[in-house]
Amino acid sequence: MKKSVTLKDIARETGVHVSTVSRALDPNGQKILTLGVVEKIRACASRMGYRKNNLAFGLRTNRTMTIGVIIPDLTNTLFPLIVRGIESVLEVRGYASIIVNTDNDANRKVKLLDVLLERGVDGIIDAAADISDPKIIEVFEQGLPIVTVNRAIQGSSIPSIINDDTAGMQLLLKFLVEKGHRKIAHVAGPQFLTTGRTRLQVLENTLKDLNLTLLSELVEGTSRFDEDEGLRATEVLLEKKLEFTALVCSNDRLAIGALEALKKHGLKCPDDISVTGFNNLPYLRMAMPGLTTINIQKFNVGKASAELVLRSIDEPDAVIPSCTILPVQLIERGSVKPPAPTKH
C-alpha cells in the first residue's frame, strides 16, 4: 500500500520548515507568506500527490471545516444560484458545505438542524428562516455562528444578508402607476416569512403614499411561494368580480401561477391584466409574454453570507453587522402595459 504524503515529506523536498508548508497549504495561513513560497510549496504538494487530512486538521483546530446550508425548497430555481455563491467562498477557504432541504416544513427543519449539529458543522447559513424561528435562535445563542440569507428572523441578533425588498416593491408600484394603473391587486407571500410580510407592508404603504387605496378584498394570501398557490390565490381574486387592472405577485413562482389562472378564465396578460413578480428567476426571460419583475442578487447574497459566517468563525469577537441589504433592479418585460380604456 502506497504511503500517504505528509507535510514533513513536502518540507524535506522544498527545504522549508514544516510549519511553513502547513501555512502555505492553509488558505487562512498562506497570506503571511510570499507568493513565490506559496506557489513552490503548492506545486510540490500537487506533484507528490499530497491530500489534506481534514480529520487530523479538525483534531488540531477543533473544526470540521464544514458549513451547514439550509434551504427551503430544492425545486426552487432561486436557490441553486445562492448555493453557488456560498460555495464560491467556502471552496477557496477549504470548507465543504452540507446542504439540507426542509421542504418548507418547520418540523423537518428542526430534525435537519439536529443532523447538522451532530455532524459538528462550524457554522450554518440558513436560507429557510421563518420570522419566528426559536430553534435556530437557541443554537445561535449557544455560540454557533449563523447567518440567514434572503430572509431574516425578527427579534433576534442573528445577522442576515438580504435583498432590498422595500426598494423592489416601490420600483414595481411606481412603474405600474406611471403606466396608468390605479386598481391594483396583490397575491401576498406567506406572512410567516419576512419576504412575504415586508413586501405586503411596503405595497400598502407605497400605494398610500401615491394616494391610492388598496382594498383588503384585493389582497389574497398564500401559504407557500409556489405556482399552485399563485393559481389558487388569483382564482379567488377573480371570483370576487372586483375590478383590477394590475396584479402584483410577491414572487415569480406566484406570478407564474397567476398567469395560468388568467388563462383558465379567458383573460390575457397584459391586455386584460398586467402581472408582476419578484426575484427574476433564470427562465423568465424565455417565457411569453416575459415577466416584469425585480432582479435580486442571488449569487452575491450567497457569497456575502458565506464570507460573513466564516468571519464569525475566525473572529468570534468581531462586531458583525446585523443586516446587510443588497440593491435590486427593475426588469421590464412584456407582462405590463397601460390598462385598457374604460368602456362607457
Side-chain angles (χ1 to χ4, degrees):
M1 184 176 178
K2 186 177 178 181
K3 185 181 176 182
S4 298
V5 178
T6 67
L7 296 181
K8 288 183 179 179
D9 295 331
I10 300 170
R12 191 181 307 112
E13 185 74 15
T14 55
V16 300
H17 195 272
V18 173
S19 63
T20 303
V21 174
S22 178
R23 291 190 186 98
L25 298 177
D26 179 1
N28 297 319
Q30 60 185 230
K31 57 184 122 180
I32 66 174
L33 303 174
T34 65
L35 181 59
V37 169
V38 171
E39 289 179 344
K40 175 184 176 182
I41 293 171
R42 292 177 70 86
C44 179
S46 177
R47 186 174 66 252
M48 295 179 70
Y50 170 77
R51 289 191 177 185
K52 183 178 178 180
N53 187 332
N54 280 326
L55 179 59
F57 179 82
L59 291 172
R60 291 197 307 273
T61 63
N62 199 29
R63 293 186 189 179
T64 62
M65 302 302 290
T66 57
I67 300 295
V69 179
I70 306 174
I71 60 173
D73 184 356
L74 197 60
T75 66
N76 189 337
T77 56
L78 170 66
F79 294 103
L81 283 171
I82 292 176
V83 171
R84 283 183 61 192
I86 292 170
E87 294 194 327
S88 73
V89 173
L90 298 186
E91 184 177 354
V92 173
R93 294 284 300 276
Y95 282 81
S97 60
I98 301 177
I99 300 170
V100 295
N101 171 46
T102 70
D103 275 337
N104 291 301
D105 183 325
N107 293 327
R108 178 178 168 84
K109 180 180 177 179
V110 170
K111 293 176 183 177
L112 291 172
L113 184 55
D114 286 336
V115 169
L116 293 176
L117 297 176
E118 290 166 5
R119 294 293 182 94
V121 294
D122 298 323
I124 289 175
I125 297 171
D126 186 2
D130 290 353
I131 281 181
S132 175
D133 211 322
K135 178 67 174 179
I136 205 83
I137 293 174
E138 176 188 338
V139 172
F140 176 74
E141 290 178 345
Q142 290 171 353
L144 187 69
I146 297 175
V147 175
T148 66
V149 59
N150 205 48
R151 301 176 182 176
I153 300 174
Q154 292 186 348
S156 83
S157 55
I158 297 176
S160 60
I161 309 288
I162 62 174
N163 289 283
D164 199 337
D165 290 325
T166 297
M169 289 300 290
Q170 290 172 342
L171 285 169
L172 281 173
L173 291 167
K174 289 176 181 177
F175 175 70
L176 288 171
V177 171
E178 287 170 1
K179 290 289 185 180
H181 293 278
R182 299 293 181 271
K183 298 175 181 177
I184 296 173
H186 181 48
V187 173
Q191 295 302 288
F192 55 85
L193 303 177
T194 52
T195 42
R197 183 175 296 187
T198 298
R199 291 170 192 176
L200 173 57
Q201 290 174 341
V202 174
L203 180 137
E204 292 172 335
N205 293 337
T206 303
L207 288 179
K208 186 177 180 181
D209 291 342
L210 294 170
N211 295 316
L212 296 175
T213 301
L214 176 66
L215 298 177
S216 58
E217 294 85 357
L218 288 181
V219 176
E220 184 63 28
T222 58
S223 59
R224 301 181 309 277
F225 270 124
D226 65 22
E227 294 82 359
D228 288 343
E229 275 292 271
L231 187 153
R232 181 200 61 77
T234 304
E235 289 196 313
V236 171
L237 290 171
L238 293 173
E239 287 164 2
K240 293 178 180 180
K241 304 297 184 183
L242 295 173
E243 184 184 0
F244 58 94
T245 63
L247 178 59
V248 175
C249 297
S250 191
N251 85 341
D252 293 336
R253 295 185 70 184
L254 293 174
I256 295 299
L259 291 171
E260 184 178 352
L262 295 181
K263 186 176 180 180
K264 283 179 63 176
H265 285 254
L267 298 170
K268 293 182 179 180
C269 171
D271 295 343
D272 298 309
I273 296 176
S274 293
V275 176
T276 66
F278 205 109
N279 287 342
N280 193 29
L281 294 180
Y283 55 82
L284 291 178
R285 61 185 177 82
M286 297 180 286
M288 295 303 292
L291 186 65
T292 294
T293 186
I294 294 295
N295 184 58
I296 65 170
Q297 298 190 43
K298 309 165 195 66
F299 184 89
N300 286 340
V301 79
K303 181 180 177 182
S305 68
E307 290 170 343
L308 196 57
V309 79
L310 293 186
R311 184 184 173 200
S312 300
I313 293 168
D314 294 337
E315 305 173 41
D317 296 325
V319 177
I320 303 295
S322 60
C323 183
T324 303
I325 303 175
L326 301 186
V328 298
Q329 177 187 11
L330 175 69
I331 304 296
E332 181 181 353
R333 298 195 181 99
S335 65
V336 173
K337 65 182 292 188
T342 304
K343 296 178 181 179
H344 296 285

